[in-house]
Amino acid sequence: MATHDHDASSTYTLEEQSTTTIATTTDHSNDEWEDIQKMDWSHMSYELQSVDAVLQTVTSMLMDDARKVHHRSVSAMSELRGDSPNKSGGRRGGRRRSAVSGGLGEHAQERLRLHKDEVNLMEGRVQGFVRAMNEVLDDDEDMTLMNVSRLLTHPERFLQPVSKDILHEESDEPELILEAYLQQALSIVNELDLLKGQIMTTEEQISMTLDAIRNRLLYINTLLSVASLCVAVGSFVGSIFGMNLTNHIEQVDTAFIRVTVGVIVGMVLMWAVLSWVFYRAANIHSDWGKKTM
């Protein structure tokens, strides 16, 4: 019984110690966050202000360049899709200008490829900046050595080997600065990824439009081929009757009219039947898609 009481008291002591440790850690994190919130950034050291100014300049340049790339790409995609706003001339004039300026075809696809290359180049620049920031954030010693003023005023804290607690304390302010600009860079990367997806969607839309135009041209070409076949059949019948051979039809007064009307009606019927067959063959896939949906 005494042993059982001893185990129970030990278990309670361990649980109490773990609860106290978790509470202490939570209180320490809350205190650290409150210290960061209450930090007077106007008294930040000169070297950290310099780092903040450099990062702000670089981030602003990247954001401006990304905004220009985004504007040019969106304008080009709007023109190619015919969604550009019409300033004058009404809807009909706007559609005509959009169709002419868009120029669906190889020119439009080449424009989109150029814009995609521009977006990829811009994304590579921002990704390089993000990698550089992550490399610095992963090294506490580099962030600690950014505090040059602290290194001069408190050299005893930087004697090798420096403890992890001191590294963590001295790297707090540089880490906050770097993480703030890292988040801005990641937001730029996300916007560029979204823009790249929009460009790919526009490319697919243009490809589908070109495929539809090609299919219409092929269908018209098929109808013309069918019409040529029908005319050739009528010419074949005419060539048969054009031979200088006796066929005893010459004696019938209405033979010419009957043959002519029969050939014309036969060509028309043949053209109608073959056109219907090709039309049904061309719409089998679309009808099957509608039934499956």
Side-chain angles (χ1 to χ4, degrees), residues 1-15:
M1 181 66 68
T3 303
H4 179 71
D5 294 339
H6 177 70
D7 294 339
S9 60
S10 299
T11 303
Y12 176 76
T13 303
L14 291 174
E15 292 178 354

mmCIF file with all atom_site columns, all heavy atoms in Angstrom, residues 1-15:
data_model
loop_
_atom_site.group_PDB
_atom_site.id
_atom_site.type_symbol
_atom_site.label_atom_id
_atom_site.label_alt_id
_atom_site.label_comp_id
_atom_site.label_asym_id
_atom_site.label_entity_id
_atom_site.label_seq_id
_atom_site.pdbx_PDB_ins_code
_atom_site.Cartn_x
_atom_site.Cartn_y
_atom_site.Cartn_z
_atom_site.occupancy
_atom_site.B_iso_or_equiv
_atom_site.pdbx_formal_charge
_atom_site.auth_seq_id
_atom_site.auth_comp_id
_atom_site.auth_asym_id
_atom_site.auth_atom_id
_atom_site.pdbx_PDB_model_num
ATOM 1   N N   . MET A 1 1  ? 0.825  -1.190 0.000   1.00 0.00 ? 1  MET A N   1
ATOM 2   C CA  . MET A 1 1  ? 0.000  0.000  0.000   1.00 0.00 ? 1  MET A CA  1
ATOM 3   C C   . MET A 1 1  ? 0.865  1.247  0.000   1.00 0.00 ? 1  MET A C   1
ATOM 4   O O   . MET A 1 1  ? 0.592  2.223  -0.686  1.00 0.00 ? 1  MET A O   1
ATOM 5   C CB  . MET A 1 1  ? -0.927 -0.037 1.224   1.00 0.00 ? 1  MET A CB  1
ATOM 6   C CG  . MET A 1 1  ? -1.866 1.176  1.305   1.00 0.00 ? 1  MET A CG  1
ATOM 7   S SD  . MET A 1 1  ? -3.059 1.173  -0.057  1.00 0.00 ? 1  MET A SD  1
ATOM 8   C CE  . MET A 1 1  ? -4.004 -0.264 0.423   1.00 0.00 ? 1  MET A CE  1
ATOM 9   N N   . ALA A 1 2  ? 1.953  1.229  0.743   1.00 0.00 ? 2  ALA A N   1
ATOM 10  C CA  . ALA A 1 2  ? 2.870  2.377  0.805   1.00 0.00 ? 2  ALA A CA  1
ATOM 11  C C   . ALA A 1 2  ? 3.521  2.587  -0.536  1.00 0.00 ? 2  ALA A C   1
ATOM 12  O O   . ALA A 1 2  ? 3.730  3.726  -0.972  1.00 0.00 ? 2  ALA A O   1
ATOM 13  C CB  . ALA A 1 2  ? 3.918  2.139  1.905   1.00 0.00 ? 2  ALA A CB  1
ATOM 14  N N   . THR A 1 3  ? 3.899  1.491  -1.200  1.00 0.00 ? 3  THR A N   1
ATOM 15  C CA  . THR A 1 3  ? 4.529  1.613  -2.518  1.00 0.00 ? 3  THR A CA  1
ATOM 16  C C   . THR A 1 3  ? 3.556  2.225  -3.507  1.00 0.00 ? 3  THR A C   1
ATOM 17  O O   . THR A 1 3  ? 3.930  3.056  -4.343  1.00 0.00 ? 3  THR A O   1
ATOM 18  C CB  . THR A 1 3  ? 4.958  0.228  -3.008  1.00 0.00 ? 3  THR A CB  1
ATOM 19  O OG1 . THR A 1 3  ? 5.828  -0.353 -2.050  1.00 0.00 ? 3  THR A OG1 1
ATOM 20  C CG2 . THR A 1 3  ? 5.658  0.338  -4.346  1.00 0.00 ? 3  THR A CG2 1
ATOM 21  N N   . HIS A 1 4  ? 2.297  1.834  -3.461  1.00 0.00 ? 4  HIS A N   1
ATOM 22  C CA  . HIS A 1 4  ? 1.288  2.382  -4.364  1.00 0.00 ? 4  HIS A CA  1
ATOM 23  C C   . HIS A 1 4  ? 1.116  3.883  -4.129  1.00 0.00 ? 4  HIS A C   1
ATOM 24  O O   . HIS A 1 4  ? 1.005  4.671  -5.076  1.00 0.00 ? 4  HIS A O   1
ATOM 25  C CB  . HIS A 1 4  ? -0.030 1.646  -4.128  1.00 0.00 ? 4  HIS A CB  1
ATOM 26  C CG  . HIS A 1 4  ? -1.133 2.169  -4.991  1.00 0.00 ? 4  HIS A CG  1
ATOM 27  N ND1 . HIS A 1 4  ? -1.165 1.948  -6.360  1.00 0.00 ? 4  HIS A ND1 1
ATOM 28  C CD2 . HIS A 1 4  ? -2.241 2.903  -4.670  1.00 0.00 ? 4  HIS A CD2 1
ATOM 29  C CE1 . HIS A 1 4  ? -2.242 2.521  -6.859  1.00 0.00 ? 4  HIS A CE1 1
ATOM 30  N NE2 . HIS A 1 4  ? -2.906 3.114  -5.847  1.00 0.00 ? 4  HIS A NE2 1
ATOM 31  N N   . ASP A 1 5  ? 1.080  4.290  -2.864  1.00 0.00 ? 5  ASP A N   1
ATOM 32  C CA  . ASP A 1 5  ? 0.959  5.717  -2.561  1.00 0.00 ? 5  ASP A CA  1
ATOM 33  C C   . ASP A 1 5  ? 2.170  6.476  -3.064  1.00 0.00 ? 5  ASP A C   1
ATOM 34  O O   . ASP A 1 5  ? 2.055  7.609  -3.568  1.00 0.00 ? 5  ASP A O   1
ATOM 35  C CB  . ASP A 1 5  ? 0.802  5.912  -1.049  1.00 0.00 ? 5  ASP A CB  1
ATOM 36  C CG  . ASP A 1 5  ? -0.519 5.315  -0.563  1.00 0.00 ? 5  ASP A CG  1
ATOM 37  O OD1 . ASP A 1 5  ? -1.429 5.143  -1.415  1.00 0.00 ? 5  ASP A OD1 1
ATOM 38  O OD2 . ASP A 1 5  ? -0.621 5.021  0.643   1.00 0.00 ? 5  ASP A OD2 1
ATOM 39  N N   . HIS A 1 6  ? 3.352  5.870  -2.961  1.00 0.00 ? 6  HIS A N   1
ATOM 40  C CA  . HIS A 1 6  ? 4.567  6.529  -3.420  1.00 0.00 ? 6  HIS A CA  1
ATOM 41  C C   . HIS A 1 6  ? 4.546  6.718  -4.941  1.00 0.00 ? 6  HIS A C   1
ATOM 42  O O   . HIS A 1 6  ? 4.913  7.777  -5.457  1.00 0.00 ? 6  HIS A O   1
ATOM 43  C CB  . HIS A 1 6  ? 5.786  5.701  -3.012  1.00 0.00 ? 6  HIS A CB  1
ATOM 44  C CG  . HIS A 1 6  ? 7.081  6.290  -3.510  1.00 0.00 ? 6  HIS A CG  1
ATOM 45  N ND1 . HIS A 1 6  ? 7.619  7.473  -3.006  1.00 0.00 ? 6  HIS A ND1 1
ATOM 46  C CD2 . HIS A 1 6  ? 7.941  5.848  -4.483  1.00 0.00 ? 6  HIS A CD2 1
ATOM 47  C CE1 . HIS A 1 6  ? 8.751  7.738  -3.630  1.00 0.00 ? 6  HIS A CE1 1
ATOM 48  N NE2 . HIS A 1 6  ? 8.963  6.766  -4.543  1.00 0.00 ? 6  HIS A NE2 1
ATOM 49  N N   . ASP A 1 7  ? 4.070  5.663  -5.689  1.00 0.00 ? 7  ASP A N   1
ATOM 50  C CA  . ASP A 1 7  ? 3.980  5.778  -7.146  1.00 0.00 ? 7  ASP A CA  1
ATOM 51  C C   . ASP A 1 7  ? 2.980  6.841  -7.547  1.00 0.00 ? 7  ASP A C   1
ATOM 52  O O   . ASP A 1 7  ? 3.206  7.600  -8.497  1.00 0.00 ? 7  ASP A O   1
ATOM 53  C CB  . ASP A 1 7  ? 3.573  4.428  -7.743  1.00 0.00 ? 7  ASP A CB  1
ATOM 54  C CG  . ASP A 1 7  ? 4.671  3.386  -7.538  1.00 0.00 ? 7  ASP A CG  1
ATOM 55  O OD1 . ASP A 1 7  ? 5.829  3.827  -7.325  1.00 0.00 ? 7  ASP A OD1 1
ATOM 56  O OD2 . ASP A 1 7  ? 4.362  2.174  -7.590  1.00 0.00 ? 7  ASP A OD2 1
ATOM 57  N N   . ALA A 1 8  ? 1.854  6.883  -6.837  1.00 0.00 ? 8  ALA A N   1
ATOM 58  C CA  . ALA A 1 8  ? 0.833  7.875  -7.185  1.00 0.00 ? 8  ALA A CA  1
ATOM 59  C C   . ALA A 1 8  ? 1.348  9.279  -6.956  1.00 0.00 ? 8  ALA A C   1
ATOM 60  O O   . ALA A 1 8  ? 1.131  10.182 -7.761  1.00 0.00 ? 8  ALA A O   1
ATOM 61  C CB  . ALA A 1 8  ? -0.428 7.634  -6.347  1.00 0.00 ? 8  ALA A CB  1
ATOM 62  N N   . SER A 1 9  ? 2.049  9.488  -5.840  1.00 0.00 ? 9  SER A N   1
ATOM 63  C CA  . SER A 1 9  ? 2.592  10.820 -5.564  1.00 0.00 ? 9  SER A CA  1
ATOM 64  C C   . SER A 1 9  ? 3.654  11.191 -6.577  1.00 0.00 ? 9  SER A C   1
ATOM 65  O O   . SER A 1 9  ? 3.760  12.347 -7.005  1.00 0.00 ? 9  SER A O   1
ATOM 66  C CB  . SER A 1 9  ? 3.180  10.860 -4.149  1.00 0.00 ? 9  SER A CB  1
ATOM 67  O OG  . SER A 1 9  ? 4.237  9.897  -4.041  1.00 0.00 ? 9  SER A OG  1
ATOM 68  N N   . SER A 1 10 ? 4.456  10.199 -7.045  1.00 0.00 ? 10 SER A N   1
ATOM 69  C CA  . SER A 1 10 ? 5.487  10.478 -8.046  1.00 0.00 ? 10 SER A CA  1
ATOM 70  C C   . SER A 1 10 ? 4.844  10.863 -9.380  1.00 0.00 ? 10 SER A C   1
ATOM 71  O O   . SER A 1 10 ? 5.291  11.791 -10.054 1.00 0.00 ? 10 SER A O   1
ATOM 72  C CB  . SER A 1 10 ? 6.385  9.250  -8.234  1.00 0.00 ? 10 SER A CB  1
ATOM 73  O OG  . SER A 1 10 ? 7.029  8.925  -7.010  1.00 0.00 ? 10 SER A OG  1
ATOM 74  N N   . THR A 1 11 ? 3.783  10.106 -9.752  1.00 0.00 ? 11 THR A N   1
ATOM 75  C CA  . THR A 1 11 ? 3.087  10.425 -10.995 1.00 0.00 ? 11 THR A CA  1
ATOM 76  C C   . THR A 1 11 ? 2.482  11.813 -10.937 1.00 0.00 ? 11 THR A C   1
ATOM 77  O O   . THR A 1 11 ? 2.567  12.595 -11.896 1.00 0.00 ? 11 THR A O   1
ATOM 78  C CB  . THR A 1 11 ? 1.985  9.394  -11.249 1.00 0.00 ? 11 THR A CB  1
ATOM 79  O OG1 . THR A 1 11 ? 2.565  8.096  -11.272 1.00 0.00 ? 11 THR A OG1 1
ATOM 80  C CG2 . THR A 1 11 ? 1.279  9.682  -12.575 1.00 0.00 ? 11 THR A CG2 1
ATOM 81  N N   . TYR A 1 12 ? 1.899  12.155 -9.830  1.00 0.00 ? 12 TYR A N   1
ATOM 82  C CA  . TYR A 1 12 ? 1.307  13.487 -9.681  1.00 0.00 ? 12 TYR A CA  1
ATOM 83  C C   . TYR A 1 12 ? 2.381  14.565 -9.767  1.00 0.00 ? 12 TYR A C   1
ATOM 84  O O   . TYR A 1 12 ? 2.179  15.617 -10.377 1.00 0.00 ? 12 TYR A O   1
ATOM 85  C CB  . TYR A 1 12 ? 0.576  13.547 -8.333  1.00 0.00 ? 12 TYR A CB  1
ATOM 86  C CG  . TYR A 1 12 ? 0.019  14.917 -8.036  1.00 0.00 ? 12 TYR A CG  1
ATOM 87  C CD1 . TYR A 1 12 ? -1.141 15.363 -8.695  1.00 0.00 ? 12 TYR A CD1 1
ATOM 88  C CD2 . TYR A 1 12 ? 0.663  15.770 -7.132  1.00 0.00 ? 12 TYR A CD2 1
ATOM 89  C CE1 . TYR A 1 12 ? -1.649 16.628 -8.433  1.00 0.00 ? 12 TYR A CE1 1
ATOM 90  C CE2 . TYR A 1 12 ? 0.153  17.026 -6.875  1.00 0.00 ? 12 TYR A CE2 1
ATOM 91  C CZ  . TYR A 1 12 ? -1.002 17.446 -7.521  1.00 0.00 ? 12 TYR A CZ  1
ATOM 92  O OH  . TYR A 1 12 ? -1.488 18.700 -7.270  1.00 0.00 ? 12 TYR A OH  1
ATOM 93  N N   . THR A 1 13 ? 3.545  14.248 -9.157  1.00 0.00 ? 13 THR A N   1
ATOM 94  C CA  . THR A 1 13 ? 4.632  15.235 -9.189  1.00 0.00 ? 13 THR A CA  1
ATOM 95  C C   . THR A 1 13 ? 5.123  15.453 -10.613 1.00 0.00 ? 13 THR A C   1
ATOM 96  O O   . THR A 1 13 ? 5.363  16.584 -11.044 1.00 0.00 ? 13 THR A O   1
ATOM 97  C CB  . THR A 1 13 ? 5.787  14.756 -8.301  1.00 0.00 ? 13 THR A CB  1
ATOM 98  O OG1 . THR A 1 13 ? 5.295  14.536 -6.991  1.00 0.00 ? 13 THR A OG1 1
ATOM 99  C CG2 . THR A 1 13 ? 6.889  15.812 -8.272  1.00 0.00 ? 13 THR A CG2 1
ATOM 100 N N   . LEU A 1 14 ? 5.262  14.363 -11.405 1.00 0.00 ? 14 LEU A N   1
ATOM 101 C CA  . LEU A 1 14 ? 5.708  14.493 -12.786 1.00 0.00 ? 14 LEU A CA  1
ATOM 102 C C   . LEU A 1 14 ? 4.694  15.274 -13.624 1.00 0.00 ? 14 LEU A C   1
ATOM 103 O O   . LEU A 1 14 ? 5.060  16.134 -14.428 1.00 0.00 ? 14 LEU A O   1
ATOM 104 C CB  . LEU A 1 14 ? 5.928  13.106 -13.390 1.00 0.00 ? 14 LEU A CB  1
ATOM 105 C CG  . LEU A 1 14 ? 7.110  12.323 -12.824 1.00 0.00 ? 14 LEU A CG  1
ATOM 106 C CD1 . LEU A 1 14 ? 7.123  10.915 -13.413 1.00 0.00 ? 14 LEU A CD1 1
ATOM 107 C CD2 . LEU A 1 14 ? 8.439  13.031 -13.109 1.00 0.00 ? 14 LEU A CD2 1
ATOM 108 N N   . GLU A 1 15 ? 3.385  14.951 -13.450 1.00 0.00 ? 15 GLU A N   1
ATOM 109 C CA  . GLU A 1 15 ? 2.368  15.683 -14.198 1.00 0.00 ? 15 GLU A CA  1
ATOM 110 C C   . GLU A 1 15 ? 2.363  17.145 -13.814 1.00 0.00 ? 15 GLU A C   1
ATOM 111 O O   . GLU A 1 15 ? 2.218  18.031 -14.666 1.00 0.00 ? 15 GLU A O   1
ATOM 112 C CB  . GLU A 1 15 ? 0.990  15.067 -13.927 1.00 0.00 ? 15 GLU A CB  1
ATOM 113 C CG  . GLU A 1 15 ? 0.835  13.666 -14.516 1.00 0.00 ? 15 GLU A CG  1
ATOM 114 C CD  . GLU A 1 15 ? -0.515 13.093 -14.192 1.00 0.00 ? 15 GLU A CD  1
ATOM 115 O OE1 . GLU A 1 15 ? -1.256 13.742 -13.418 1.00 0.00 ? 15 GLU A OE1 1
ATOM 116 O OE2 . GLU A 1 15 ? -0.829 11.991 -14.706 1.00 0.00 ? 15 GLU A OE2 1
#
